Amino acid sequence: MRRLPVYLLLDTSGSMSGEPIEAVKNGVQVLVSTLRQDPYALETAYLSVITFDSTAHQAIPLTELSNFQPPPLNATGTTALGEALELLAERIDAEVARTTADAKGDWKPLVFIMTDGSPTDDWRKGLDRFKLARTGVVVACAAGHGADQTILKQITEVVVALDTADANTIRAFFKWVSASISTGSQKVEQGNKEVSGLDDLPPPPPEVNLVI
């Protein structure tokens, strides 16, 4: 079976403390419970969570949806986005099966990055490593006005922005992520094709603004 890997790269730095981190926890739980009701996602989607604050950490390795348990999330420290990108590339190389002469590998991973600030480490080094990884659509979310959209634009063409990092707005983002994963799962299951860009994803809700 060809899996659809999904990596969530979540900012857990100190600026996310309070309502934002609680909203992210809730968002991940809603995402999982929603996808478990989708037979296509249940069949193909595998989730991983990588968090980053003063350092990066894979909180949950790539896991079948039915066995996925949301990790505990705590907001503290600075914003090691570069280290997180490097770790993400390493985990994709290790966890996602490549196509060989004898068998087809996994589908290209979907990546969703969420941050509310600017990187405090050498993010360019991490980006160089990340660009070597085999990925599908990469979506970066700037949560609130403190996020550096210019840097996110260098990571991916698909950048969305949330005007605020309150509970309702973050919940809307995670619902859109959930719908995007469902769409990706359906395309690979029914059409044997994968999402290749923003046009293949559901339109974002009003709370989620595309950054041109």
Side-chain angles (χ1 to χ4, degrees), residues 167-190:
N168 289 335
T169 308
I170 290 177
R171 185 183 304 118
F173 170 71
F174 276 97
K175 283 185 177 178
W176 180 62
V177 171
S178 174
S180 298
I181 296 171
S182 287
T183 298
S185 301
Q186 190 166 344
K187 284 181 81 72
V188 298
E189 276 287 295
Q190 285 192 321

Side-chain angles (χ1 to χ4, degrees), residues 4-121:
L4 176 63
V6 179
Y7 286 88
L8 304 178
L9 207 65
L10 303 177
D11 184 343
T12 53
S13 62
S15 58
M16 289 288 291
S17 63
E19 184 178 1
I21 198 68
E22 293 304 318
V24 170
K25 289 181 194 174
N26 182 263
V28 173
Q29 289 175 342
V30 169
L31 179 146
V32 172
S33 61
T34 302
L35 289 177
R36 281 180 177 159
Q37 297 172 38
D38 179 337
Y40 297 108
L42 208 50
E43 186 70 23
T44 62
Y46 280 62
L47 299 183
S48 170
V49 174
I50 291 175
T51 61
F52 58 100
D53 38 66
S54 298
T55 186
H57 167 65
Q58 188 177 34
I60 303 287
L62 201 59
T63 300
E64 188 174 5
L65 190 55
S66 58
N67 293 327
F68 183 90
Q69 295 294 327
L73 299 175
N74 297 300
T76 182
T78 54
T79 311
L81 176 59
E83 189 178 323
L85 291 172
E86 201 166 350
L87 177 60
L88 172 60
E90 290 172 2
R91 298 321 302 158
I92 288 175
D93 288 349
E95 295 177 332
V96 179
R98 286 179 173 270
T99 296
T100 67
D102 300 322
K104 289 197 171 184
D106 293 325
W107 298 100
K108 291 179 183 173
L110 301 179
V111 177
F112 296 90
I113 303 167
M114 182 180 209
T115 181
D116 75 333
S118 298
T120 53
D121 65 347

